[in-house]
């Protein structure tokens, strides 16, 4: 027997010894229909007694009042576990069931396990499967080798927060389980430990961890200054004094010690130091009592130890928990922990199974298509199921690529694929592209502004301009512009239906108008994004036609997606109805592109095979070459006078007063304290009535005073809407090589009045622990979102927490990239990540629900995205911030900031005000 197996045998006894001990424990949660917020109250005494093998009484805690009976594990399973094993080799892969507690970091774990296990895990949310279904896959089909329970918002004492996980931890004593954060707390809670408020909420911050050298931490250093730094996201902890005897502490950290990220990039550092278990931690039995109603009804107490539990394991079961997040980009040795858990799993089944290979053969054949068929029917339930059901249960769960499948079952899958292929290709359109290049022309004809005004005039109705007005330091390179076009041009306006009653799930009305003025309105039951997906997949084209173009937009849809379309991306409902349409797009068949790096100008036109577009190209070329750079505005603009925010308030009415906004920040802090969120991106709106305003002049003024790499001008005259955007933030880009990129901004500070002050402020932002925490949380969130649609192992962070400087502010920016999976579409990628995490907080779904209850109006276009979807499915979208929306005689500006545990309410208000200064000054200059 090898050394790792000897170490493991000292940590665990044979699981078969627990079969009678747990036989009479009927602790099972029914699927909850209502949220019950409930923590452990110290001093409670709810309990039951059961007998172990030798007849002695032992305590088993009843952690919830919702209970029902459960069939015992199959006799076949028990017999197999009790057979004396024979030596076999370890498997080439490990099959993990990953339980998602509606968290925004689950797919970071997915990405790690996909590489370490040899096959990606199967992901289900904690209420996707009933207990009977779960038992079928675990015990009858033997479909999984281990289970990982994800982090998540809330408390393990709340049935809606934890779902089926408590049942797994109590009943699946014979399957290796690793709980992360909430999963760790659930492991403690289900065995009787108390989960209480931490002395301080810690989110997105690093701590050094000491451990006892158990197998989960093999080859990982321990203790202060030895390099084992981990990222923590939690407001609740297991009270170490309530830890029952069957749970063994294996890792700790100081309750107050955190470290800045800068200077801690010592990933991979190795040390042989092993710390001994902390003998000062007392072991007390739990007297647990679970109540109902709000969590505010409970006395949480505080941890009484100066050290916080960061890891536990069960004394006889292969169950482990870690309070920190090993999947975070800033956690050192996170991958090693998952590798060690795989080794634990391998060693466990080597020790207690008669033959690893033999136990898979029958179950693989049985499981293959039956579960896949069921998941096909559930394909629309969630983005995770949509993206992974077929792969996971067709080839990933079992991962035996040499397995011969039942021919009849495979025929069913082939027919399923044929039907879907037919639907995807019916009614396709063949598009042809023609383009011309004019080298070094842009500067000669007045640059991007001169070209736009020269071609489209000052009224600029039904025009677009994706404007890289800030191109220094390689932030952006291309601008695209256009107006009402040829035979393929159309304008789309989409409005969600019945938003005000909170029942909207995405259906709405789509109005279209073509270049000839023909209009129609239809109802889209499945929503706008599914419509857009079908449209993009219906186009056929020749890639050779755009070879030589240095950019990825060759024509297609250009416009915006409003924040309320979150209901098409997993959110249950919108509380507030948007005044503006929820999405507006042009289909641009003619456009002008500018390469700012080389000063080149391109004109492009797309048409169907049977038509011709030579005339537009000829006319546009003639207009371009006639421009001499002397294009001037019809009205002479004067420089705007310096304005303070107080002077702007005369013109703008705030949706909420300073006092109300500060109170909202405090509400957010309370939610964070209770573990409901790690970070909440709170926003508000300011508005001003306007009579006569040339929106294009307003945009031109804004782009001069606040140039930005992802700026935009959009005018939809049909709905009296103009958008003047000076956004510095990219939401998501997919290039022609199928590389996805996100560039979230979190952390903002004003520029200084002098060069010395400016450098000091930049340095202050760079080393601010609060701003680092804000940024890191969103980086991990975006890694998760990309991880849902990218190839395993491809998601990475080439730039973390860089500070970029703009006209009025310094900002902290990170870059996340990954390779898109071949089986997902461009719109699938957007649905996986929308709305941008920098505008929601994390975990995303719970945070958006909370923000909907706190904010008093719809965000509308603000917090959504502007950009293009090229007909070849490349896209580039910004985050709508630093933007003026001019709609039906009103100018509105949205602003806000990320609320974290370290936030100061007064400072958060001042940061929100800072973000409004550039756009409000631009409006006040004209209005």
């Amino acid at each position: 027997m090898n050394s790792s197996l000897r170490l493991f045998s000292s940590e665990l006894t044979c699981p078969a010894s627990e079969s009678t001990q747990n036989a009479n424990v009927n602790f099972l949660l029914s699927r909850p229909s209502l949220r019950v917020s409930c923590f452990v109250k110290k001093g409670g005494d709810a309990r039951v007694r059961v007998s172990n093998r030798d007849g002695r009484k032992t305590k088993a805690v009843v952690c919830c009042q919702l209970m029902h009976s459960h069939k015992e594990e199959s006799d076949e399973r028990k017999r197999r576990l009790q057979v004396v094993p024979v030596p076999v080799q370890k498997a080439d892969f490990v099959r993990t069931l990953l339980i998602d507690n509606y968290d925004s970091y689950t797919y970071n774990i997915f990405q790690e396990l996909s590489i370490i296990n040899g096959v990606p895990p199967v992901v289900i949310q904690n209420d996707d499967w009933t207990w009977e279904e779960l038992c079928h896959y675990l015990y009858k089909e033997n479909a999984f080798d281990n289970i990982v329970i994800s982090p998540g918002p809330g408390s393990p004492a709340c049935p809606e927060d934890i779902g089926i996980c408590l049942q797994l931890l109590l009943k699946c004593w014979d399957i290796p389980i690793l709980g992360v954060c909430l999963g760790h707390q659930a492991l403690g809670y289900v065995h009787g430990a108390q989960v209480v408020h931490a002395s301080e909420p810690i989110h997105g911050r690093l701590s050094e961890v000491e451990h006892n050298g158990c197998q989960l931490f093999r080859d990982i250093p321990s203790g202060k200054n030895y390099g084992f730094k981990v990222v923590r996201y939690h407001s609740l902890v297991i009270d170490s004094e309530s830890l029952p005897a069957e749970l063994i502490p294996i890792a700790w950290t100081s309750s107050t010690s955190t470290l800045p990220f800068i200077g801690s990039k010592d990933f991979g550092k190795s040390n042989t130091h092993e710390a001994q278990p902390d003998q000062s931690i007392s072991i007390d039995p739990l007297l647990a009592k679970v109540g109902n109603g709000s969590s505010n009804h409970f006395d949480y107490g505080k941890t009484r130890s100066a050290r916080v539990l960061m890891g536990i394991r069960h004394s006889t079961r292969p169950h482990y928990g870690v309070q920190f997040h090993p999947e975070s980009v800033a956690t050192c040795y996170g991958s090693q922990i998952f590798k060690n858990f795989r080794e634990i799993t391998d060693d466990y089944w080597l020790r207690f199974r008669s033959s690893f290979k033999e136990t898979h053969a029958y179950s693989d054949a049985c499981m293959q298509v039956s579960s896949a068929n069921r998941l096909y029917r559930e394909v629309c339930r969630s983005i995770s199921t949509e993206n992974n059901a077929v792969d996971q249960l067709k080839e990933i769960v079992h991962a035996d690529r040499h397995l011969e499948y039942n021919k009849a079952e495979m025929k069913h899958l082939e027919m399923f694929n044929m039907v879907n292929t037919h639907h995807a290709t019916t009614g396709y359109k063949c598009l042809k592209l023609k383009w011309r290049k004019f080298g070094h022309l842009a500067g000669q004809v007045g640059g991007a502004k001169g070209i736009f005004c020269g071609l489209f005039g000052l009224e600029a109705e039904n025009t677009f301009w994706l404007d890289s007005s800030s191109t220094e330091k390689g932030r952006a390179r291309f601008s695209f512009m256009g107006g009402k076009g040829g035979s393929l041009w159309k304008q789309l306006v989409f409005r969600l239906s019945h938003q005000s009653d909170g029942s909207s799930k995405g259906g709405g009305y789509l109005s279209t108008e073509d270049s000839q003025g023909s209009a129609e309105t239809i109802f889209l039951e499945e929503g706008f994004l599914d419509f857009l997906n079908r449209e993009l997949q219906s186009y056929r084209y020749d890639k050779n036609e755009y070879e030589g173009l240095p950019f990825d937009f060759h024509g297609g849809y250009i416009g915006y997606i409003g924040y309320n379309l979150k209901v098409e991306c997993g959110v249950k409902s919108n509380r507030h109805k948007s005044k503006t349409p929820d999405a507006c797009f042009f289909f641009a068949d003619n456009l002008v592109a500018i390469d700012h790096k080389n000063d080149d100008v391109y004109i492009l036109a797309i048409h169907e095979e049977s038509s011709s577009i030579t005339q537009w190209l000829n006319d546009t070329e003639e207009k371009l070459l006639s421009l001499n750079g002397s294009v001037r505005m019809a009205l002479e603009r004067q420089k705007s006078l310096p304005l303070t925010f107080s002077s702007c308030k005369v013109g703008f009415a705030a949706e909420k007063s300073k006092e109300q906004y500060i109170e909202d920040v405090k509400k957010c802090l309370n939610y964070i304290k209770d573990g409901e969120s790690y970070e909440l991106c709170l926003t508000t709106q300011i508005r001003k009535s306007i009579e006569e305003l040339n929106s294009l002049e307003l945009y031109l003024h804004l782009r001069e005073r606040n140039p930005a790499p992802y700026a935009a001008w959009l005018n939809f005259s049909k709905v009296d809407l103009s958008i003047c955007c000076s956004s510095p933030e990219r939401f998501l880009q997919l290039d022609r090589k199928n590389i996805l990129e996100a560039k979230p901004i979190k952390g903002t500070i004003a520029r200084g009045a002098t060069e010395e002050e400016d450098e000091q402020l930049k340095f202050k932002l760079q080393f601010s622990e609060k701003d680092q925490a804000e940024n890191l949380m969103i980086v991990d969130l975006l890694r998760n979102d990309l991880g849902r649609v990218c190839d395993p192992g491809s998601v990475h962070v080439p730039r973390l927490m860089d500070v970029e400087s703009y006209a009025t502010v310094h900002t902290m920016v990170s870059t996340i990239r990954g390779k898109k999976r071949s089986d997902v579409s461009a719109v699938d990628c957007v649905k996986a990540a929308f709305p941008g995490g920098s505008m929601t907080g994390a975990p995303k779904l719970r945070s958006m629900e909370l923000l909907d209850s706190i904010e008093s109006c719809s965000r509308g276009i603000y917090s959504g995205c502007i950009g293009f979807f090229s007909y070849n499915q490349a896209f580039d979208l910004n985050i709508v911030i630093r933007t003026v929306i001019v709609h039906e005689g009103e100018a509105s500006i949205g602003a806000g900031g990320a609320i974290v545990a370290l936030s100061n309410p007064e400072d958060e208000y001042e940061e929100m005000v800072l973000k409004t200064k550039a756009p409000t000054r631009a409006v006040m200059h004209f209005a």
Side-chain angles (χ1 to χ4, degrees):
M1 188 177 295
N2 62 36
S3 60
S4 62
L5 203 57
R6 288 196 296 272
L7 173 61
F8 188 69
S9 65
S10 69
E11 293 185 13
L12 295 175
T13 60
C14 178
S17 66
E18 288 196 352
S19 59
T20 54
Q21 177 179 336
N22 291 278
N24 297 319
V25 179
N26 290 321
F27 167 69
L28 296 169
L29 301 176
S30 63
R31 298 181 73 175
S33 59
L34 297 174
R35 174 173 171 76
V36 182
S37 185
C38 41
F39 281 84
V40 175
K41 181 178 180 181
K42 292 189 177 184
D45 58 3
R47 71 183 83 175
V48 296
R49 291 185 180 273
V50 297
S51 298
N52 62 15
R53 283 195 302 166
D54 57 9
R56 292 176 298 172
K57 299 294 184 181
T58 185
K59 280 182 265 186
V61 179
V62 179
C63 299
C64 186
Q65 297 167 337
L66 302 175
M67 305 170 67
H68 62 76
S69 62
H70 163 60
K71 63 181 181 179
E72 293 298 321
E73 293 82 356
S74 69
D75 292 338
E76 180 184 356
R77 174 82 169 184
K78 289 184 177 180
R79 285 196 302 270
R80 181 169 66 254
L81 290 173
Q82 293 173 1
V83 170
V84 177
V86 296
V88 293
Q89 292 183 340
K90 292 182 180 179
D92 294 332
F93 51 83
V94 168
R95 307 162 307 161
T96 295
L97 177 64
L98 177 54
I99 310 293
D100 176 22
N101 288 305
Y102 290 88
D103 195 53
S104 288
Y105 300 148
T106 301
Y107 276 83
N108 295 333
I109 299 175
F110 173 90
Q111 286 275 325
E112 290 279 359
L113 294 178
S114 297
I115 300 304
I116 291 167
N117 286 354
V119 289
V122 170
V123 183
I124 64 167
Q125 292 176 322
N126 63 24
D127 56 357
D128 275 349
W129 288 355
T130 65
W131 177 249
E132 289 72 24
E133 288 176 306
L134 197 57
C135 285
H136 174 80
Y137 295 130
L138 289 175
Y139 291 104
K140 184 176 180 181
E141 307 289 4
N142 302 315
F144 303 102
D145 303 309
N146 64 24
I147 299 169
V148 175
I149 300 175
S150 86
S155 161
C158 175
E160 190 179 56
D161 293 342
I162 201 63
I164 207 165
C165 298
L166 295 183
Q167 296 166 266
L168 284 170
L169 288 164
L170 191 68
K171 298 296 293 182
C172 297
W173 46 265
D174 53 356
I175 298 175
I177 300 178
L178 173 64
V180 178
C181 201
L182 182 65
H184 157 89
Q185 294 168 10
L187 175 59
Y189 177 76
V190 78
H191 291 290
Q194 296 186 25
V195 177
V196 298
H197 271 137
S199 58
E200 176 189 9
I202 304 291
H203 297 112
R205 299 160 68 189
L206 278 73
S207 296
E208 289 184 312
V209 168
E210 178 184 354
H211 60 78
N212 71 345
C214 78
Q215 190 174 2
L216 190 66
F217 298 113
R218 191 184 65 185
D219 296 330
I220 298 175
S222 173
K224 189 174 182 180
N225 298 324
Y226 280 97
F228 185 25
K229 299 179 178 68
V230 304
V231 176
R232 298 163 61 186
Y233 293 106
H234 64 99
S235 300
L236 311 174
V237 295
I238 294 174
D239 184 0
S240 60
E241 295 188 14
S242 71
L243 207 64
E246 61 265 32
L247 296 181
I248 299 171
I250 59 175
W252 314 262
T253 192
S254 168
S255 61
T256 58
S257 175
T258 60
L259 304 164
F261 174 77
I262 302 299
S264 63
K265 300 178 182 179
D266 47 1
F267 302 102
K269 182 178 178 180
S270 179
N271 194 288
T272 57
H273 171 75
E274 293 183 358
Q276 297 301 313
D278 185 356
Q279 302 299 322
S280 66
I281 295 180
S282 59
I283 308 296
D284 292 332
L286 173 71
L287 301 177
K289 182 177 182 180
V290 176
N292 53 25
S294 170
S295 61
N296 294 328
H297 296 165
F298 290 85
D299 175 17
Y300 304 105
K302 292 184 179 291
T303 53
R304 288 171 282 180
S305 171
R307 305 174 79 191
V308 181
L309 276 177
M310 287 288 108
I312 57 174
R313 69 171 176 88
H314 197 278
S315 59
T316 58
R317 304 180 181 188
H319 294 180
Y320 294 77
V322 290
Q323 178 62 78
F324 57 89
H325 283 234
E327 81 284 357
S328 173
V329 69
T331 291
C332 303
Y333 300 99
S335 294
Q336 185 63 43
I337 290 172
F338 290 119
K339 290 176 184 176
N340 290 342
F341 184 59
R342 174 185 170 149
E343 288 296 316
I344 288 170
T345 301
D346 280 339
D347 290 345
Y348 180 83
W349 293 119
L350 278 172
R351 185 173 178 82
F352 298 119
R353 277 181 174 170
S354 58
S355 171
F356 188 93
K357 294 289 185 182
E358 290 175 8
T359 57
H360 283 67
Y362 171 76
S363 63
D364 282 351
C366 292
M367 175 77 170
Q368 189 59 42
V369 181
S370 60
S371 52
N373 290 343
R374 184 184 64 80
L375 285 178
Y376 281 141
R377 296 192 298 271
E378 299 175 357
V379 75
C380 295
R381 290 183 60 183
S382 68
I383 189 72
S384 64
T385 304
E386 179 181 21
N387 287 337
N388 292 294
V390 178
D391 285 342
Q392 290 169 345
L393 291 172
K394 178 180 171 186
E395 58 180 305
I396 289 179
V397 174
H398 311 292
D400 192 342
R401 291 178 172 82
H402 304 291
L403 187 65
E404 290 293 325
Y405 301 119
N406 181 286
K407 291 184 179 179
E409 300 276 22
M410 290 305 296
K411 184 68 175 177
H412 172 84
L413 285 177
E414 290 172 5
M415 292 178 64
F416 178 90
N417 291 331
M418 287 174 61
V419 169
N420 281 275
T421 301
H422 170 74
H423 288 318
T425 58
T426 300
Y428 64 85
K429 308 177 186 71
C430 289
L431 300 182
K432 305 294 289 183
L433 171 68
K434 292 185 179 180
W435 54 275
R436 299 174 186 175
K437 174 183 176 181
F438 306 92
H440 310 293
L441 178 66
Q444 301 176 36
V445 295
K449 181 177 73 173
I451 294 172
F452 184 86
C453 294
L455 294 180
F456 306 108
L458 297 178
E459 296 302 323
E461 290 188 355
N462 293 321
T463 56
F464 63 85
W465 182 4
L466 300 185
D467 179 19
S468 297
S469 57
S470 173
T471 60
E472 65 271 22
K473 299 180 180 178
R475 289 172 181 157
R477 178 178 170 182
F478 304 105
S479 292
F480 305 97
M481 58 184 68
K484 198 167 185 177
S487 60
L488 294 178
W489 182 94
K490 57 184 174 181
Q491 181 177 176
L492 290 74
V493 177
F494 178 77
R495 296 180 187 271
L496 287 164
S497 62
H498 309 301
Q499 297 177 75
S500 58
D501 64 6
S503 63
S504 174
K505 293 295 177 75
Y509 293 91
L510 177 68
S511 299
T512 60
E513 181 178 309
D514 63 21
S515 59
Q516 303 302 315
S518 178
E520 68 171 344
T521 299
I522 59 174
F523 183 76
L524 298 177
E525 184 174 356
E526 74 281 14
F528 180 77
L529 293 178
D530 281 354
F531 164 83
L532 181 62
N533 191 42
R534 289 199 313 272
E535 286 285 296
L536 291 172
Q537 292 188 339
S538 72
Y539 298 123
R540 298 296 179 265
Y541 51 89
D542 183 354
K543 293 181 179 180
N544 293 325
E545 292 180 346
Y546 55 75
E547 287 297 325
L549 290 174
F551 44 82
D552 291 323
F553 184 40
H554 311 132
Y557 289 98
I558 193 162
Y560 74 81
I561 299 171
Y563 180 75
N564 274 9
L565 278 197
K566 65 183 186 290
V567 295
E568 296 187 11
C569 304
V571 176
K572 293 180 180 179
S573 65
N574 286 311
R575 181 178 179 184
H576 308 292
K577 183 175 182 178
S578 174
K579 294 181 179 180
T580 53
D582 295 292
C584 283
F585 279 84
F586 299 115
F587 185 87
D589 53 358
N590 303 329
L591 68 137
V592 178
I594 301 171
D595 180 350
H596 296 285
K597 180 180 179 181
N598 297 323
D599 204 36
D600 299 332
V601 179
Y602 297 79
I603 56 175
L604 303 88
I606 53 175
H607 63 105
E608 292 190 278
E609 274 186 318
S610 58
S611 63
S612 173
I613 39 74
T614 305
Q615 189 60 49
W616 181 87
L617 291 171
N618 292 338
D619 292 344
T620 305
E621 178 177 351
E622 183 179 350
K623 289 179 182 179
L624 269 175
L625 296 178
S626 67
L627 298 176
N628 59 10
S630 61
V631 176
R632 303 200 181 277
M633 300 298 297
L635 301 174
E636 193 71 41
R637 299 191 311 275
Q638 61 179 12
K639 293 183 179 180
S640 59
L641 297 174
L643 295 173
T644 64
F645 186 73
S646 60
S647 67
C648 288
K649 287 202 299 184
V650 175
F652 278 88
E655 189 71 33
K656 290 189 176 182
S657 66
K658 177 180 180 180
E659 292 73 23
Q660 289 173 315
Y661 190 84
I662 289 174
E663 283 302 310
D664 288 346
V665 174
K666 292 178 180 177
K667 288 179 185 177
C668 292
L669 289 172
N670 285 332
Y671 281 125
I672 291 169
K673 178 182 177 183
D674 287 347
E676 296 295 323
S677 178
Y678 317 138
E679 176 176 4
L680 288 163
C681 297
L682 180 68
T683 75
T684 189
Q685 301 260 335
I686 59 175
R687 307 179 191 278
K688 183 186 187 308
S689 296
I690 54 174
E691 295 181 1
E692 294 184 5
L693 176 69
N694 187 302
S695 300
L696 179 58
E697 289 189 37
L698 168 62
Y699 174 68
L700 294 174
H701 179 78
L702 179 63
R703 77 185 292 272
E704 283 188 4
R705 297 307 178 95
N706 194 46
Y710 308 107
W713 155 267
L714 293 172
N715 176 270
F716 299 93
S717 58
K718 183 178 180 180
V719 290
D720 191 15
L721 173 64
S722 295
I723 301 171
C724 307
C725 175
S726 58
S727 173
E729 182 172 0
R730 168 175 282 160
F731 164 45
L732 198 62
Q733 178 195 46
L734 177 67
D735 66 19
R736 70 177 75 175
K737 296 179 180 179
N738 286 323
I739 300 300
L740 277 168
E741 179 181 275
K743 291 176 68 71
I745 290 177
K746 267 290 161 269
T748 303
I749 197 169
R751 297 293 300 264
T754 66
E755 184 176 343
E756 181 180 3
E757 182 187 15
D758 196 54
E759 283 300 313
Q760 290 175 348
L761 289 169
K762 183 177 180 180
F763 184 85
K764 179 181 178 181
L765 175 64
Q766 180 76 72
F767 290 91
S768 163
E769 187 176 12
K770 170 186 175 293
D771 292 299
Q772 289 176 10
E774 283 184 27
N775 198 281
L776 179 58
M777 279 187 266
I778 302 306
V779 168
D780 280 341
L781 187 154
L782 264 298
R783 290 175 59 238
N784 170 87
D785 291 349
L786 267 62
R788 299 168 74 177
V789 293
C790 285
D791 287 339
S794 70
V795 178
H796 61 289
V797 184
R799 296 175 62 193
L800 183 59
M801 301 183 194
D802 284 354
V803 173
E804 294 185 356
S805 301
Y806 293 87
T808 58
V809 296
H810 298 293
T811 61
M812 189 178 285
V813 185
S814 295
T815 303
I816 305 101
R817 294 192 186 119
K819 179 70 178 295
K820 183 185 77 69
R821 292 206 325 259
S822 60
D823 62 326
V824 298
S825 69
V827 175
D828 289 335
C829 296
V830 174
K831 290 177 72 174
F834 186 83
S838 61
M839 302 305 296
T840 65
K844 185 184 285 188
L845 290 179
R846 179 68 61 83
S847 295
M848 285 191 287
E849 292 173 3
L850 296 174
L851 291 166
D852 239 15
S853 70
I854 297 171
E855 296 176 356
S856 58
C857 64
S858 171
R859 298 187 185 185
I861 301 170
Y862 171 66
S863 298
C865 57
I866 294 171
F868 68 77
F869 290 87
S870 184
Y871 66 82
N872 64 350
Q873 295 210 40
F875 66 80
D876 199 356
L877 303 167
N878 75 0
I879 294 284
V880 182
I881 55 177
R882 320 289 199 273
T883 298
V884 181
I885 308 297
V886 181
H887 182 235
E888 296 181 344
E890 181 182 72
S892 63
I893 299 168
I899 312 303
V900 297
L902 294 173
S903 290
N904 174 279
E906 289 276 350
D907 292 344
E908 291 299 333
Y909 176 77
E910 293 302 323
E911 180 179 331
M912 181 273 293
V913 169
L914 170 66
K915 292 172 180 176
T916 68
K917 283 191 174 181
T920 53
R921 284 174 172 172
V923 174
M924 293 302 291
H925 180 68
F926 288 93

